[in-house]
Amino acid sequence: MTEGNFVDYVKIYATSGKGGKGSVHLHREKFITKGGPDGGDGGRGGHIILRGNQNQWTLLTYKYKRHFKAGHGGHGSKSRSSGADGDDVYLDVPLGTVIRDTETNAILLEITEHNQEHIIAKGGIGGRGNWHFRSATNQTPRYAQSGKEGEEKQITLELKVLADVGLVGFPNAGKSTLLSVITTAKPKIADYEFTTLKPNLGIVKYRDFQSFVMADIPGIIEGAAEGKGLGHYFLRHIERNATLLFLIPADSDDISKEYNILLDELRRYNEELLHKERLIVISKSDMLDDELEAEMRTELDKDLNGAPYIFISSVAQKGITELKDKLWKMLN
């Protein structure tokens, strides 16, 4: 999937169908000139229904079409015949989509399961025909109900990527390079910051035909939790990752300081993120010799307070198998 096709935030307008009118009809046939009321009910208006679809990864469908209208209910007719229900409109969304009321920003629901359905705008009920209004004192009612109007809703769809492992790090830390090496994904890679502006997903193939999903989250900067840069757009994708992989390059000025800044941004955005399993990955370690790596390990053991870490090099394929093993163990 190209970066431009990854859409994770859209506003849509949903209008359900109006209910059909009830019928005002008096039964007439040969030799029966004054039959009783037999007007049928109107059909209900169509619903707007959200449905989870595990085969979708983006909200791209709703980038160009944002107004959806369901069908109106059919009118009732003679012989107590009910009108047809209006056509429902199904809106398929990726798993991990949060639905908000656009005006209040309140969360209405979350779609997390395949084929999970939720009526977001109910169709109006059909009016009752005059058959319902007959009585001992009014045997030929000449009135029926009109159908009820449908609902109009403005909602916001917000996708939070569902992935087993989320790659967290500063811009240009090597996240996209690692994803391209460890999965079949082909993210954009360049030597400038913020090369990645949208999350990339890749499937990591493991032993015995097993696999897990890894997401490359765009680079976090200091102040992201307050919305600096595109902070909130990046951070919300981390909420659904089971395990967080902190990627810090070996040539960083202070590895433990970078790690603590990243942790602090997550804490300020949502403290629950700190309860997730995490692993620190020191990337670009092919530039270290054995002596320098041993020296760094001694410092990291002291500075990281026992947090697990691993040295890797995406380019030299160093530590990649060990990384997969560690991640698989953490996920299972």
Side-chain angles (χ1 to χ4, degrees):
M1 183 190 302
T2 65
E3 188 178 278
N5 287 343
F6 186 88
V7 177
D8 57 358
Y9 186 90
V10 291
K11 292 178 181 178
I12 64 172
Y13 304 85
T15 307
S16 59
K18 180 182 177 180
K21 293 178 182 176
S23 171
V24 179
H25 190 270
L26 300 175
H27 183 66
R28 296 285 185 270
E29 61 178 286
K30 194 174 183 181
F31 307 121
I32 302 177
T33 56
K34 291 186 178 180
D38 70 345
D41 301 340
R44 71 154 174 85
H47 301 316
I48 304 287
I49 303 171
L50 290 171
R51 178 171 60 190
N53 187 336
Q54 66 185 7
N55 299 314
Q56 289 192 357
W57 294 88
T58 172
L59 296 170
L60 179 67
T61 310
Y62 309 108
K63 182 177 181 181
Y64 304 106
K65 183 180 179 184
R66 301 195 179 188
H67 293 261
F68 298 91
K69 285 187 178 181
H72 297 311
H75 302 318
S77 58
K78 63 183 181 180
S79 303
R80 290 171 59 187
S81 296
S82 297
D85 290 342
D87 292 332
D88 296 330
V89 172
Y90 284 87
L91 306 180
D92 283 355
V93 296
L95 306 189
T97 301
V98 176
I99 293 85
R100 295 180 182 271
D101 183 301
T102 303
E103 289 184 10
T104 65
N105 207 38
I107 293 177
L108 303 176
L109 74 147
E110 298 181 31
I111 302 287
T112 55
E113 296 177 12
H114 183 58
N115 284 333
Q116 176 186 343
E117 292 183 6
H118 183 86
I119 299 172
I120 203 68
K122 285 187 177 180
I125 59 173
R128 293 195 294 177
N130 66 341
W131 183 80
H132 290 279
F133 301 105
R134 73 200 188 288
S135 67
T137 56
N138 185 6
Q139 295 184 357
T140 55
R142 286 175 166 81
Y143 54 84
Q145 289 178 328
S146 297
K148 284 200 170 184
E149 293 289 337
E151 297 180 333
E152 283 190 35
K153 291 277 182 74
Q154 185 178 355
I155 58 172
T156 301
L157 304 181
E158 189 179 276
L159 175 60
K160 296 180 181 179
V161 165
L162 280 170
D164 300 305
V165 179
L167 284 168
V168 182
F170 283 116
N172 215 22
K175 299 184 296 299
S176 297
T177 305
L178 175 60
L179 190 76
S180 70
V181 167
I182 207 171
T183 75
T184 54
K186 295 288 180 282
K188 182 180 177 184
I189 299 169
D191 61 353
Y192 53 84
E193 295 187 350
F194 292 107
T195 310
T196 305
L197 290 174
K198 297 287 174 72
N200 289 302
L201 291 175
I203 296 173
V204 180
K205 292 179 180 177
Y206 194 62
R207 299 186 177 105
D208 303 322
F209 303 103
Q210 294 167 316
S211 63
F212 56 90
V213 179
M214 182 179 280
D216 165 21
I217 310 298
I220 295 172
I221 59 172
E222 200 166 357
E226 280 74 48
K228 190 175 179 183
L230 294 172
H232 284 144
Y233 290 101
F234 297 164
L235 287 167
R236 64 184 156 92
H237 289 291
I238 299 170
E239 291 185 70
R240 296 207 188 274
N241 302 150
T243 297
L244 298 181
L245 195 156
F246 290 79
L247 203 68
I248 303 171
D251 59 353
S252 167
D253 293 335
D254 191 331
I255 290 173
S256 62
K257 183 183 176 183
E258 275 200 25
Y259 171 62
N260 287 322
I261 290 172
L262 292 169
L263 268 187
D264 191 52
E265 291 303 323
L266 299 190
R267 179 188 60 77
R268 279 154 51 189
Y269 178 72
N270 182 351
E271 276 202 32
E272 291 183 12
L273 294 176
L274 300 186
H275 300 312
K276 295 180 182 287
E277 287 239 45
R278 51 186 187 257
L279 174 66
I280 302 164
V281 174
I282 316 300
S283 64
K284 305 179 183 179
S285 65
D286 53 312
M287 62 177 68
L288 305 175
D289 57 27
D290 293 341
E291 187 180 340
L292 188 53
E293 186 177 313
E295 193 178 313
M296 287 179 70
R297 285 180 184 275
T298 304
E299 288 183 18
L300 291 173
D301 289 338
K302 182 176 62 177
D303 296 340
L304 295 178
N305 298 316
Y309 64 88
I310 181 175
F311 284 84
I312 69 150
S313 168
S314 302
V315 175
Q317 296 280 307
K318 173 186 173 184
I320 299 298
T321 303
E322 187 186 348
L323 174 61
K324 286 185 183 180
D325 290 339
K326 272 186 178 288
L327 290 174
W328 184 257
K329 191 175 179 181
M330 292 167 78
L331 291 169
N332 296 278

